Amino acid sequence: MWGGRFADGPSSIMREINASIPFDKKLWRQDIRASLAHVAMLADQKIVEAEDATKIVDGLNQIAEEYETGGVPEDLDLEDIHMHVEARLSEIIGPVAGRLHTARSRNDQVATDFRLWVREAMEMVDDALDALQKALVSRAEEHADTIMPGFTHLQSAQPVSLGHHLMAYYEMVRRDRSRFADARKRMNESPLGAAALAGTGFAIDRDKTASMLGFDNPTANSLDSVSDRDFALDYLMAATQCSLHLSRLAEEFVIWASQPFGFIKLPDSFSTGSSIMPQKRNPDAAELVRGHSGRIAGAMNALVMTMKGLPLAYSKDMQDDKPPVFEAHDLLGLSIAAMTGMIAEVEFSGNRMRALAESGFSTATDFADWLVREAKLPFREAHHVTGAVVSLAEEQGCGLADLTLEQYQAIDSRIDERVFDVLSVDASVASRSSYGGTAPDQVRVQIAKARQTLGLE
Ligand code: ARG
């Protein structure tokens, strides 16, 4: 392609370090789509004759069919997907192919192709997250009244509704979707026509190519257009945050599936056995979702490091932008699908959750609140009395509801039999009816809202 300037061909090492075709062939659809828009615009602007434009369009369509059926060939000498398409085009239609590259450069071409790819990736993630949210909401609805221990420091804290716990993840995913939607809106500008870095002297129509490719408008600064990879970083950052959420849920599944917890049985379809220990049922899919989040964060860091300190406009370092995005996208897609499958099919053990919620004095706060409300103790004093009651129950090896009224009154005479109304986990959960609280009625309010947002009503 630059035979005029160079006497010798590239060494084989140069060929290898320079080539991006092994990974950027993923962009072939976007590359052809952008070229079709570009040549249509060139013809409209009379920069290329209509007859030549038709040949180019037919050639590009033929290449698309070839790639669709036979895959994209990988010739390291042809460096990247842009040169593969152009070289094949000239094989098919001859020297007219050379007119396609009028008023553009691979710099604006790759920026355009990659934006189109990332935009689609964002849309795919959004669809997958929609399915995950639907699965969460449906299981939450089923388990609004199921009681489990709520934790802080992974120590039993207060009983909560399992539906409430699942809806916490619905909220995280809601923010993830809004981050992707934000990024999609921000990135939807067309760099095509920025050419190498300075724009072009040809009378092109950038608005036209922008709208043909579904962009809201052309980018405003040609230097920024070819040097900007914010859209890829936005994708990776949103993907990282999303994968952190998936990883936390995965970690909870790993813990909940362990024998000491026994809160859940993961579906066979998302578990594996052990080749030596026949009793084993390992939460491999959850562990891999947890593991993949590290790789996704790593991919995000890789592109941050690549972009840091690059002078304007294009530098070849930027060719390294694609592998981390492609990798993160594959890992994220798998992780979301695996979590959606696990959520849909996991068996929750309501009995086991309730038993653990009832142990660990999880209604101690309810008791202290009762002392404040009904026996008019200052909260600090109530906290102290509650401590004494918990110590006694611990000594006796029983729960708070198992102590007798006499035992309570020996600790503080202001306690009467009404206290037993607040010591059960059901009463505790039902009482937390503040907005966003864990009372099943509140949980159902949030579920109804979610169902509406998801178009399930
Ligand atoms: N393969 C290159 C990339 O992915 C295309 C742009 C090359 N531009 C250049 N001036 N060498 O970034």
Side-chain angles (χ1 to χ4, degrees):
M1 294 270 171
W2 38 73
R5 168 79 177 73
F6 290 85
D8 293 326
S11 78
S12 65
I13 290 173
M14 178 57 196
R15 204 179 351 255
E16 203 173 326
I17 195 171
N18 200 39
S20 54
I21 187 63
F23 52 85
D24 71 15
K25 61 191 207 176
K26 251 191 204 300
L27 299 177
W28 73 262
R29 284 191 180 80
Q30 291 74 16
D31 194 71
I32 289 175
R33 185 174 168 203
S35 286
L36 286 168
H38 183 67
V39 73
M41 180 278 293
L42 291 177
D44 284 353
Q45 298 298 107
K46 315 249 182 289
I47 297 167
V48 165
E49 286 185 22
E51 205 183 307
D52 290 343
T54 305
K55 283 187 195 148
I56 291 172
V57 167
D58 292 346
L60 288 170
N61 286 329
Q62 180 183 327
I63 296 170
E65 269 167 44
E66 289 176 6
Y67 287 180
E68 193 71 69
T69 50
V72 182
E74 253 183 62
D75 178 351
L76 296 195
D77 282 324
L78 288 173
E79 195 180 321
D80 58 25
I81 184 61
H82 325 293
M83 285 168 53
H84 274 69
V85 172
E86 201 180 324
R88 181 68 190 129
L89 188 64
S90 62
E91 279 170 12
I92 300 170
I93 65 171
V96 174
R99 298 197 184 279
L100 171 61
H101 212 54
T102 312
R104 83 174 182 191
S105 145
R106 277 186 301 152
N107 295 349
D108 59 336
Q109 200 182 349
V110 72
T112 305
D113 295 359
F114 199 24
R115 273 193 201 230
L116 290 171
W117 192 93
V118 170
R119 192 174 71 188
E120 253 175 70
M122 287 173 172
E123 287 162 3
M124 281 161 69
V125 170
D126 190 64
D127 284 346
L129 291 178
D130 183 79
L132 173 59
Q133 283 185 315
K134 285 176 176 153
L136 283 165
V137 166
S138 126
R139 298 313 303 271
E141 201 161 30
E142 195 185 315
H143 289 286
D145 294 299
T146 303
I147 288 176
M148 65 176 281
F151 300 94
T152 60
H153 313 269
L154 199 55
Q155 305 280 319
S156 288
Q158 293 173 346
V160 295
S161 142
L162 169 59
H164 193 51
H165 194 110
L166 294 173
M167 287 302 285
Y169 284 98
Y170 167 85
E171 288 298 319
M172 295 177 225
V173 176
R174 194 170 61 80
R175 292 193 294 276
D176 290 328
R177 290 184 70 181
S178 105
R179 253 184 296 275
F180 280 110
D182 251 21
R184 188 202 181 286
K185 206 190 248 165
R186 189 161 42 244
M187 63 96 74
N188 204 32
E189 298 188 333
S190 171
L192 194 58
L197 75 165
T200 173
F202 288 100
I204 58 171
D205 184 345
R206 293 192 57 208
D207 285 295
K208 185 168 278 171
T209 44
S211 88
M212 278 193 278
L213 295 171
F215 290 113
D216 298 327
N217 47 267
T219 49
N221 181 300
S222 62
L223 289 165
D224 180 48
S225 307
V226 296
S227 70
D228 169 41
R229 292 295 181 270
D230 287 5
F231 60 95
L233 285 166
D234 274 353
Y235 174 86
L236 287 170
M237 288 175 188
T240 298
Q241 214 150 349
C242 177
S243 77
L244 296 186
H245 296 148
L246 301 177
S247 175
R248 293 180 75 174
L249 180 54
E251 166 70 355
E252 295 203 309
F253 274 10
V254 171
I255 294 173
W256 292 359
S258 70
Q259 283 73 23
F261 269 78
F263 282 7
I264 57 170
K265 185 172 171 216
L266 285 168
D268 287 349
S269 47
F270 288 99
S271 309
T272 57
S274 156
S275 48
I276 178 167
M277 298 166 283
Q279 86 283 12
K280 289 279 264 185
R281 182 187 180 77
N282 295 326
D284 292 42
E287 291 170 291
L288 285 163
V289 169
R290 191 176 60 186
H292 286 357
S293 72
R295 292 173 63 191
I296 292 169
M300 187 265 288
N301 272 295
L303 187 55
V304 167
M305 290 298 111
T306 296
M307 295 308 294
K308 170 192 154 303
L310 288 187
L312 302 191
Y314 177 88
S315 297
K316 197 62 176 260
D317 316 41
M318 289 165 69
Q319 179 167 285
D320 281 344
D321 57 357
K322 287 160 221 79
V325 173
F326 293 158
E327 185 192 26
H329 184 63
D330 287 345
L331 294 173
L332 184 64
L334 264 174
S335 300
I336 299 170
M339 280 325 300
T340 305
M342 281 187 269
I343 284 285
E345 292 174 45
V346 63
E347 272 176 45
F348 294 104
S349 168
N351 291 340
R352 178 73 187 145
M353 287 183 173
R354 169 175 282 272
L356 252 80
E358 283 172 345
S359 71
F361 315 113
S362 66
T363 57
T365 317
D366 301 86
F367 174 62
D369 287 348
W370 184 88
L371 290 172
V372 171
R373 218 175 36 245
E374 305 296 335
K376 306 291 178 227
L377 272 64
F379 184 77
R380 280 294 148 221
E381 202 184 332
H383 191 284
H384 190 78
V385 171
T386 307
V389 168
V390 168
S391 298
L392 178 65
E394 205 163 27
E395 226 174 82
Q396 308 274 311
C398 68
L400 297 184
D402 306 318
L403 294 173
T404 65
L405 183 59
E406 290 67 40
Q407 286 174 310
Y408 272 105
Q409 287 176 336
I411 290 171
D412 194 299
S413 60
R414 288 167 289 188
I415 301 171
D416 60 52
E417 71 289 339
R418 288 172 305 154
V419 75
F420 290 100
D421 296 343
V422 300
L423 295 176
S424 77
V425 290
D426 303 87
S428 167
V429 170
S431 74
R432 299 237 149 55
S433 57
S434 54
Y435 182 80
T438 198
D441 285 346
Q442 265 306 316
V443 174
R444 278 187 274 269
V445 167
Q446 297 304 330
I447 289 173
K449 220 189 253 184
R451 289 184 60 93
Q452 207 163 14
T453 306
L454 295 171
L456 295 171
E457 292 305 283

PDB file of all heavy atoms in Angstrom, residues 20 24 79-80 82 105-107 110 229 314 316 318-319 321-322, ligand 1:
ATOM      1  N   SER A  20      -3.020  -6.329  12.765  1.00  0.00           N
ATOM      2  CA  SER A  20      -4.148  -6.413  13.702  1.00  0.00           C
ATOM      3  C   SER A  20      -5.257  -7.316  13.164  1.00  0.00           C
ATOM      4  O   SER A  20      -6.257  -7.545  13.839  1.00  0.00           O
ATOM      5  CB  SER A  20      -4.701  -5.012  13.991  1.00  0.00           C
ATOM      6  OG  SER A  20      -5.023  -4.332  12.797  1.00  0.00           O
ATOM      7  N   ASP A  24      -8.832  -7.704  14.553  1.00  0.00           N
ATOM      8  CA  ASP A  24      -9.790  -6.690  14.076  1.00  0.00           C
ATOM      9  C   ASP A  24     -10.675  -7.199  12.933  1.00  0.00           C
ATOM     10  O   ASP A  24     -11.558  -6.481  12.459  1.00  0.00           O
ATOM     11  CB  ASP A  24      -9.136  -5.339  13.787  1.00  0.00           C
ATOM     12  CG  ASP A  24      -8.253  -5.313  12.551  1.00  0.00           C
ATOM     13  OD1 ASP A  24      -8.335  -6.240  11.735  1.00  0.00           O
ATOM     14  OD2 ASP A  24      -7.481  -4.342  12.413  1.00  0.00           O
ATOM     15  N   GLU A  79      -2.089  -6.456   6.933  1.00  0.00           N
ATOM     16  CA  GLU A  79      -2.202  -5.748   8.205  1.00  0.00           C
ATOM     17  C   GLU A  79      -3.554  -5.810   8.915  1.00  0.00           C
ATOM     18  O   GLU A  79      -3.669  -6.388   9.984  1.00  0.00           O
ATOM     19  CB  GLU A  79      -1.793  -4.276   8.045  1.00  0.00           C
ATOM     20  CG  GLU A  79      -1.556  -3.606   9.380  1.00  0.00           C
ATOM     21  CD  GLU A  79      -1.153  -2.133   9.244  1.00  0.00           C
ATOM     22  OE1 GLU A  79      -0.381  -1.806   8.327  1.00  0.00           O
ATOM     23  OE2 GLU A  79      -1.600  -1.334  10.070  1.00  0.00           O
ATOM     24  N   ASP A  80      -4.564  -5.160   8.344  1.00  0.00           N
ATOM     25  CA  ASP A  80      -5.804  -5.053   9.115  1.00  0.00           C
ATOM     26  C   ASP A  80      -7.043  -5.289   8.250  1.00  0.00           C
ATOM     27  O   ASP A  80      -6.945  -5.498   7.038  1.00  0.00           O
ATOM     28  CB  ASP A  80      -5.883  -3.706   9.867  1.00  0.00           C
ATOM     29  CG  ASP A  80      -5.782  -2.503   8.930  1.00  0.00           C
ATOM     30  OD1 ASP A  80      -6.126  -2.632   7.736  1.00  0.00           O
ATOM     31  OD2 ASP A  80      -5.345  -1.427   9.398  1.00  0.00           O
ATOM     32  N   HIS A  82      -9.271  -3.237   7.279  1.00  0.00           N
ATOM     33  CA  HIS A  82      -9.525  -2.202   6.271  1.00  0.00           C
ATOM     34  C   HIS A  82      -8.780  -2.523   4.973  1.00  0.00           C
ATOM     35  O   HIS A  82      -9.318  -2.399   3.883  1.00  0.00           O
ATOM     36  CB  HIS A  82      -9.108  -0.822   6.799  1.00  0.00           C
ATOM     37  CG  HIS A  82      -9.360  -0.674   8.270  1.00  0.00           C
ATOM     38  ND1 HIS A  82     -10.627  -0.650   8.781  1.00  0.00           N
ATOM     39  CD2 HIS A  82      -8.508  -0.589   9.338  1.00  0.00           C
ATOM     40  CE1 HIS A  82     -10.553  -0.552  10.107  1.00  0.00           C
ATOM     41  NE2 HIS A  82      -9.281  -0.521  10.466  1.00  0.00           N
ATOM     42  N   SER A 105      -9.198   8.212   5.744  1.00  0.00           N
ATOM     43  CA  SER A 105      -7.948   7.576   6.130  1.00  0.00           C
ATOM     44  C   SER A 105      -8.318   6.377   6.977  1.00  0.00           C
ATOM     45  O   SER A 105      -9.467   6.269   7.440  1.00  0.00           O
ATOM     46  CB  SER A 105      -7.123   8.577   6.938  1.00  0.00           C
ATOM     47  OG  SER A 105      -6.396   7.951   7.957  1.00  0.00           O
ATOM     48  N   ARG A 106      -7.387   5.484   7.183  1.00  0.00           N
ATOM     49  CA  ARG A 106      -7.724   4.379   8.084  1.00  0.00           C
ATOM     50  C   ARG A 106      -7.948   4.896   9.508  1.00  0.00           C
ATOM     51  O   ARG A 106      -8.572   4.233  10.319  1.00  0.00           O
ATOM     52  CB  ARG A 106      -6.619   3.323   8.072  1.00  0.00           C
ATOM     53  CG  ARG A 106      -6.758   2.348   6.897  1.00  0.00           C
ATOM     54  CD  ARG A 106      -5.743   1.248   6.989  1.00  0.00           C
ATOM     55  NE  ARG A 106      -4.397   1.788   6.979  1.00  0.00           N
ATOM     56  CZ  ARG A 106      -3.348   1.209   7.554  1.00  0.00           C
ATOM     57  NH1 ARG A 106      -3.477   0.073   8.200  1.00  0.00           N
ATOM     58  NH2 ARG A 106      -2.152   1.765   7.470  1.00  0.00           N
ATOM     59  N   ASN A 107      -7.419   6.095   9.776  1.00  0.00           N
ATOM     60  CA  ASN A 107      -7.589   6.615  11.142  1.00  0.00           C
ATOM     61  C   ASN A 107      -9.046   6.943  11.467  1.00  0.00           C
ATOM     62  O   ASN A 107      -9.539   6.596  12.532  1.00  0.00           O
ATOM     63  CB  ASN A 107      -6.706   7.851  11.353  1.00  0.00           C
ATOM     64  CG  ASN A 107      -5.230   7.501  11.273  1.00  0.00           C
ATOM     65  OD1 ASN A 107      -4.870   6.323  11.266  1.00  0.00           O
ATOM     66  ND2 ASN A 107      -4.370   8.516  11.220  1.00  0.00           N
ATOM     67  N   VAL A 110     -11.076   3.420  11.179  1.00  0.00           N
ATOM     68  CA  VAL A 110     -11.068   2.495  12.323  1.00  0.00           C
ATOM     69  C   VAL A 110     -11.854   3.085  13.494  1.00  0.00           C
ATOM     70  O   VAL A 110     -12.563   2.369  14.209  1.00  0.00           O
ATOM     71  CB  VAL A 110      -9.626   2.085  12.732  1.00  0.00           C
ATOM     72  CG1 VAL A 110      -8.872   3.225  13.404  1.00  0.00           C
ATOM     73  CG2 VAL A 110      -9.661   0.882  13.658  1.00  0.00           C
ATOM     74  N   ARG A 229     -10.627   7.545  22.227  1.00  0.00           N
ATOM     75  CA  ARG A 229     -11.140   6.192  22.494  1.00  0.00           C
ATOM     76  C   ARG A 229     -11.985   6.183  23.778  1.00  0.00           C
ATOM     77  O   ARG A 229     -12.156   5.160  24.411  1.00  0.00           O
ATOM     78  CB  ARG A 229      -9.984   5.190  22.618  1.00  0.00           C
ATOM     79  CG  ARG A 229      -9.225   4.933  21.313  1.00  0.00           C
ATOM     80  CD  ARG A 229     -10.097   4.252  20.248  1.00  0.00           C
ATOM     81  NE  ARG A 229      -9.361   3.984  19.009  1.00  0.00           N
ATOM     82  CZ  ARG A 229      -9.265   4.827  17.979  1.00  0.00           C
ATOM     83  NH1 ARG A 229      -9.875   6.004  18.014  1.00  0.00           N
ATOM     84  NH2 ARG A 229      -8.583   4.498  16.899  1.00  0.00           N
ATOM     85  N   TYR A 314      -3.390  10.294  16.024  1.00  0.00           N
ATOM     86  CA  TYR A 314      -3.344   8.836  16.070  1.00  0.00           C
ATOM     87  C   TYR A 314      -1.932   8.346  16.328  1.00  0.00           C
ATOM     88  O   TYR A 314      -0.972   8.865  15.774  1.00  0.00           O
ATOM     89  CB  TYR A 314      -3.861   8.263  14.738  1.00  0.00           C
ATOM     90  CG  TYR A 314      -3.779   6.753  14.662  1.00  0.00           C
ATOM     91  CD1 TYR A 314      -4.825   5.960  15.122  1.00  0.00           C
ATOM     92  CD2 TYR A 314      -2.642   6.121  14.154  1.00  0.00           C
ATOM     93  CE1 TYR A 314      -4.749   4.572  15.075  1.00  0.00           C
ATOM     94  CE2 TYR A 314      -2.555   4.733  14.101  1.00  0.00           C
ATOM     95  CZ  TYR A 314      -3.610   3.963  14.573  1.00  0.00           C
ATOM     96  OH  TYR A 314      -3.522   2.598  14.518  1.00  0.00           O
ATOM     97  N   LYS A 316       0.074   4.339  16.768  1.00  0.00           N
ATOM     98  CA  LYS A 316      -0.214   2.925  16.509  1.00  0.00           C
ATOM     99  C   LYS A 316      -0.540   2.162  17.792  1.00  0.00           C
ATOM    100  O   LYS A 316      -1.185   1.111  17.756  1.00  0.00           O
ATOM    101  CB  LYS A 316       0.961   2.274  15.771  1.00  0.00           C
ATOM    102  CG  LYS A 316       0.637   0.948  15.086  1.00  0.00           C
ATOM    103  CD  LYS A 316      -0.419   1.112  13.996  1.00  0.00           C
ATOM    104  CE  LYS A 316      -0.697  -0.154  13.239  1.00  0.00           C
ATOM    105  NZ  LYS A 316      -0.026  -0.237  11.943  1.00  0.00           N
ATOM    106  N   MET A 318      -2.712   2.733  19.581  1.00  0.00           N
ATOM    107  CA  MET A 318      -4.174   2.682  19.678  1.00  0.00           C
ATOM    108  C   MET A 318      -4.767   1.450  19.004  1.00  0.00           C
ATOM    109  O   MET A 318      -5.932   1.115  19.230  1.00  0.00           O
ATOM    110  CB  MET A 318      -4.778   3.961  19.098  1.00  0.00           C
ATOM    111  CG  MET A 318      -4.515   5.155  20.007  1.00  0.00           C
ATOM    112  SD  MET A 318      -4.798   6.731  19.196  1.00  0.00           S
ATOM    113  CE  MET A 318      -6.562   6.674  19.011  1.00  0.00           C
ATOM    114  N   GLN A 319      -3.969   0.782  18.196  1.00  0.00           N
ATOM    115  CA  GLN A 319      -4.424  -0.471  17.610  1.00  0.00           C
ATOM    116  C   GLN A 319      -4.693  -1.507  18.713  1.00  0.00           C
ATOM    117  O   GLN A 319      -5.490  -2.425  18.526  1.00  0.00           O
ATOM    118  CB  GLN A 319      -3.361  -0.982  16.629  1.00  0.00           C
ATOM    119  CG  GLN A 319      -3.673  -2.293  15.964  1.00  0.00           C
ATOM    120  CD  GLN A 319      -2.731  -2.535  14.799  1.00  0.00           C
ATOM    121  OE1 GLN A 319      -2.861  -1.924  13.736  1.00  0.00           O
ATOM    122  NE2 GLN A 319      -1.753  -3.393  14.995  1.00  0.00           N
ATOM    123  N   ASP A 321      -6.318  -1.075  21.213  1.00  0.00           N
ATOM    124  CA  ASP A 321      -7.579  -0.788  21.912  1.00  0.00           C
ATOM    125  C   ASP A 321      -8.590  -1.937  21.809  1.00  0.00           C
ATOM    126  O   ASP A 321      -9.428  -2.105  22.693  1.00  0.00           O
ATOM    127  CB  ASP A 321      -8.225   0.508  21.357  1.00  0.00           C
ATOM    128  CG  ASP A 321      -8.486   0.449  19.848  1.00  0.00           C
ATOM    129  OD1 ASP A 321      -8.128  -0.555  19.197  1.00  0.00           O
ATOM    130  OD2 ASP A 321      -9.033   1.438  19.302  1.00  0.00           O
ATOM    131  N   LYS A 322      -8.456  -2.731  20.727  1.00  0.00           N
ATOM    132  CA  LYS A 322      -9.534  -3.684  20.472  1.00  0.00           C
ATOM    133  C   LYS A 322      -9.499  -4.953  21.322  1.00  0.00           C
ATOM    134  O   LYS A 322     -10.551  -5.349  21.860  1.00  0.00           O
ATOM    135  CB  LYS A 322      -9.584  -4.023  18.981  1.00  0.00           C
ATOM    136  CG  LYS A 322     -10.138  -2.862  18.175  1.00  0.00           C
ATOM    137  CD  LYS A 322      -9.773  -2.946  16.712  1.00  0.00           C
ATOM    138  CE  LYS A 322      -9.403  -1.604  16.149  1.00  0.00           C
ATOM    139  NZ  LYS A 322      -8.011  -1.164  16.476  1.00  0.00           N
TER     140      LYS A 322
HETATM  141  N1  ARG B   1      -4.960  -1.189  12.146  1.00  0.00           N
HETATM  142  C1  ARG B   1      -5.011   0.163  12.587  1.00  0.00           C
HETATM  143  C2  ARG B   1      -5.710   0.278  13.946  1.00  0.00           C
HETATM  144  O1  ARG B   1      -6.373  -0.638  14.309  1.00  0.00           O
HETATM  145  C3  ARG B   1      -5.748   1.019  11.609  1.00  0.00           C
HETATM  146  C4  ARG B   1      -5.299   2.445  11.577  1.00  0.00           C
HETATM  147  C5  ARG B   1      -3.951   2.532  11.003  1.00  0.00           C
HETATM  148  N2  ARG B   1      -3.554   3.863  10.777  1.00  0.00           N
HETATM  149  C6  ARG B   1      -2.299   4.207  10.550  1.00  0.00           C
HETATM  150  N3  ARG B   1      -2.052   5.445  10.403  1.00  0.00           N
HETATM  151  N4  ARG B   1      -1.374   3.318  10.513  1.00  0.00           N
HETATM  152  O2  ARG B   1      -5.581   1.236  14.653  1.00  0.00           O
END
